[in-house]
Every structure is written in structure tokens, then in C-alpha cells.
Amino acid sequence: MFGCLVAGRLVQTDVQQVAEDKFVFNLPDYETANHVVVFMLGTVPFPGGMGGAVYFSYPDPSGLPVWQLLGFITNEKPSAIFKITGLKSGVGGQHPFGMMSIPQTPSVAQVGVSIEPLEQLVQQTPVASATVSTVDSFTQFTQKMMDSLYNFSSSYAVTQAQMTPNPSEMFIPASVILKWYENFQRRMVQNPNFWKS
């Protein structure tokens, strides 16, 4: 019914059914995993009005599982990618796997899928850091670079009355830097690859 993929590894389809409506994947060497994709195989759909809440569990220092809600999948949205990098030090939350005896070893994390009503799924709040950014790293870098340039140049801003005339130096009005910043941002939103042409 489900598959699981950790970036850089083979697809896992060896899900363990631990209850009628609960499924678990083991993730060995979870310390090196940054993202996980959970998806439906397409062989068995969810029953009408149902979906799957996706949880991540890692062993805490005492070996007990710490479960965190990542999000959910449905027949209409049969796959999702989650960032699990920052979750390993997080705090667990409410989850449906608490009373089950699911064996877990210290170097193995788990991804759980709990089949639940859709109206319940949409009311749950996943851990914020699990959501994968839809902005690519180049766009993030460009935004940070523009912010840095603007903040750096603004830190040297002086009013016209404070300026000391120096014929060997050229001055650029702060409004020009701000206009460049706004234009560049607008172009990045319209087409992140505009700089390639």
C-alpha cells in the first residue's frame, strides 16, 4: 500500500503493519537522512473519506521512540516529501503509536502511517521544520545575498548634511540600491533563471 524513500537510498516497500490502521517503515542509519518521501504505491487506495497521517520517530537517549507528525497523504495527494534533518533533536507530540510495542534499535528511526479520517487530518498541526521549502537553494542564496548587500550598504548611510565632500570618492544614493533590490526581487519572482539570458 505504501512506499518510503530516503534521499540517496533505494525505495522501501517493506512496510510493517503494526495494527489494522497503522504501518511502520524502519530507517536504518537515520542520522545521515535529510529528507524522506512517503507515497502510495497505487495498488490499494484509502477508503472513502480517509487518508494517512505520516509520523517520524527516532530513539531518544534512553532508547524510547519520540514521534512527530510530519503531514499526511491522501488519494488526491498520494505522495509527500518531508525534511527530517532538524527533527532528531525535537520534542515529540501526540501520536497514535504510543501504546504499541514497536521494536526500535538505537540507530534506527521509523516512519509511521496512521489511517485516519480526512477531517481529522486537516485539523492536525505538523512539526513546522518538516515542511520542505518550495524555494530552491539558488533562490535562497540570491535572497540572502541581496539582503546582505542592502544591509551592508545601508549601514554606511549618511544624510546629505553629514556627507564630507571627497572628490576622489563616488557616492550612490541609498534609493538607487533600494530600487535595484526591489527590481531584482521582482525579476526573481517572475523568473528565477532570468540571469541566464
Side-chain angles (χ1 to χ4, degrees):
M1 185 169 188
F2 303 111
C4 179
L5 175 66
V6 174
R9 300 185 190 177
L10 293 173
V11 172
Q12 289 180 251
T13 56
D14 59 343
V15 68
Q16 300 171 37
Q17 188 168 0
V18 295
E20 184 181 335
D21 58 351
K22 312 245 180 316
F23 302 84
V24 173
F25 287 98
N26 287 320
L27 302 180
D29 301 321
Y30 73 95
E31 296 90 350
T32 62
N34 294 319
H35 295 85
V36 64
V37 179
V38 178
F39 56 93
M40 297 176 65
L41 295 175
T43 54
V44 180
F46 286 112
M50 304 295 275
V54 180
Y55 292 86
F56 175 71
S57 167
Y58 65 94
D60 71 6
S62 66
L64 297 173
V66 177
W67 289 95
Q68 297 173 326
L69 178 65
L70 299 179
F72 62 90
I73 56 175
T74 64
N75 290 334
E76 291 74 34
K77 184 184 156 230
S79 66
I81 182 170
F82 305 104
K83 181 178 179 183
I84 60 173
T85 308
L87 302 182
K88 297 162 200 158
S89 60
V91 176
Q94 191 173 10
H95 61 84
F97 296 95
M99 302 308 289
M100 292 179 207
S101 175
I102 304 170
Q104 190 166 13
T105 58
S107 65
V108 176
Q110 294 175 318
V111 171
V113 179
S114 173
I115 299 176
E116 301 172 7
L118 291 175
E119 55 272 358
Q120 184 178 328
L121 291 176
V122 296
Q123 293 176 8
Q124 296 174 351
T125 306
V127 106
S129 59
T131 307
V132 175
S133 173
T134 56
V135 179
D136 65 36
S137 60
F138 176 74
T139 304
Q140 287 176 334
F141 167 76
T142 304
Q143 183 67 45
K144 294 286 184 189
M145 184 256 328
M146 290 186 332
D147 290 344
S148 177
L149 172 65
Y150 183 75
N151 291 336
F152 180 79
S153 60
S154 295
S155 71
Y156 290 97
V158 293
T159 65
Q160 197 165 13
Q162 296 170 320
M163 289 176 60
T164 306
N166 186 347
S168 64
E169 254 185 280
M170 181 179 359
F171 290 94
I172 301 171
S175 60
V176 171
I177 299 289
L178 181 60
K179 185 175 180 177
W180 168 83
Y181 177 85
E182 290 168 347
N183 286 339
F184 201 96
Q185 272 189 319
R186 180 182 43 77
R187 292 182 75 189
M188 283 295 291
V189 168
Q190 292 172 347
N191 177 11
N193 296 314
F194 79 91
W195 56 274
K196 290 183 179 180
S197 58

